[in-house]
């Protein structure tokens, strides 16, 4: 870990009370770690604005595998981007529905485009791209 810096922050008392309540409900035992996580989250979000930045993330998809050719379409897209899809997890949720989680890595613009294409495919009931960091910059 790099050298620690201490800072003082002036904050409205009622806002601080709400913040303390929020972070307590999330399991934080001190404000410093909560502040650090907020800052890291903003930095990760910011990193995605650079289209050439290398990012990692997960794409979560829920779909009905009975929809004609849907499985083939989703798998086809993943094969077209095999170097961006590091791993997949498939769970048969019930008789009809499948949950798929893809670990993706690559340039932000490419990863976002792939996620959008998967999520917007007809028959996908819900999809979400979760962005994170390779960790190297945090
Ligand atoms: Ni399935």
């Amino acid at each position: 870990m790099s050298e620690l810096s201490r800072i003082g922050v002036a904050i409205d008392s009622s806002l601080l009370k709400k913040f303390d309540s929020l972070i307590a409900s999330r399991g934080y035992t001190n404000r410093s770690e909560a502040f650090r996580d907020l800052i890291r989250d903003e930095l990760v979000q910011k990193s995605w604005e650079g289209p050439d930045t290398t990012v990692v993330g997960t794409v979560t998809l829920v779909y009905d595998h009975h929809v004609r050719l849907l499985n083939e379409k989703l798998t086809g897209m993943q094969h077209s981007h095999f170097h961006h899809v590091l791993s997949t997890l498939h769970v048969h949720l019930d008789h009809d529905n499948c949950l798929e989680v893809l670990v993706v890595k690559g340039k932000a613009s490419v990863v976002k485009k792939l996620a959008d294409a998967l999520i917007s495919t007809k028959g996908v009931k819900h999809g979400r791209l979760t962005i994170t960091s390779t960790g190297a910059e945090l």
Side-chain angles (χ1 to χ4, degrees):
M1 186 186 274
S2 59
E3 188 186 330
L4 283 177
S5 297
R6 292 194 176 278
I7 59 165
V9 178
I11 188 167
D12 185 87
S13 297
S14 66
L15 184 61
L16 184 59
K17 202 174 166 187
K18 286 177 188 167
F19 183 71
D20 284 344
S21 170
L22 175 74
I23 65 175
S25 73
R26 291 187 179 173
Y28 286 100
T29 54
N30 68 73
R31 286 179 191 144
S32 292
E33 186 55 21
F35 275 121
R36 284 191 287 267
D37 280 357
L38 283 176
I39 292 167
R40 288 188 193 110
D41 195 46
E42 286 299 314
L43 290 170
V44 169
Q45 296 285 342
K46 181 76 182 163
S47 75
W48 277 69
E49 290 172 14
D52 291 333
T53 309
T54 298
V55 293
V56 291
T58 56
V59 181
T60 304
L61 303 169
V62 173
Y63 62 91
D64 182 341
H65 75 102
H66 294 302
V67 173
R68 198 172 165 272
L69 298 177
L70 180 56
N71 244 326
E72 288 81 353
K73 279 183 201 163
L74 295 175
T75 304
M77 277 187 253
Q78 294 178 47
H79 276 274
S80 297
H81 286 84
F82 68 90
H83 42 290
H84 295 113
V85 180
L86 303 183
S87 182
T88 61
L89 168 74
H90 187 106
V91 178
H92 311 303
L93 292 174
D94 57 29
H95 188 71
D96 304 316
N97 296 295
C98 302
L99 166 72
E100 217 160 88
V101 180
L102 286 61
V103 178
V104 291
K105 182 180 180 185
K107 286 185 177 180
S109 56
V110 176
V111 167
K112 273 193 251 186
K113 201 171 168 185
L114 171 62
D116 286 342
L118 289 163
I119 292 166
S120 66
T121 299
K122 192 179 175 195
V124 173
K125 294 180 174 179
H126 184 252
R128 178 79 39 128
L129 168 64
T130 301
I131 56 176
T132 185
S133 161
T134 60
E137 303 296 323
L138 296 179

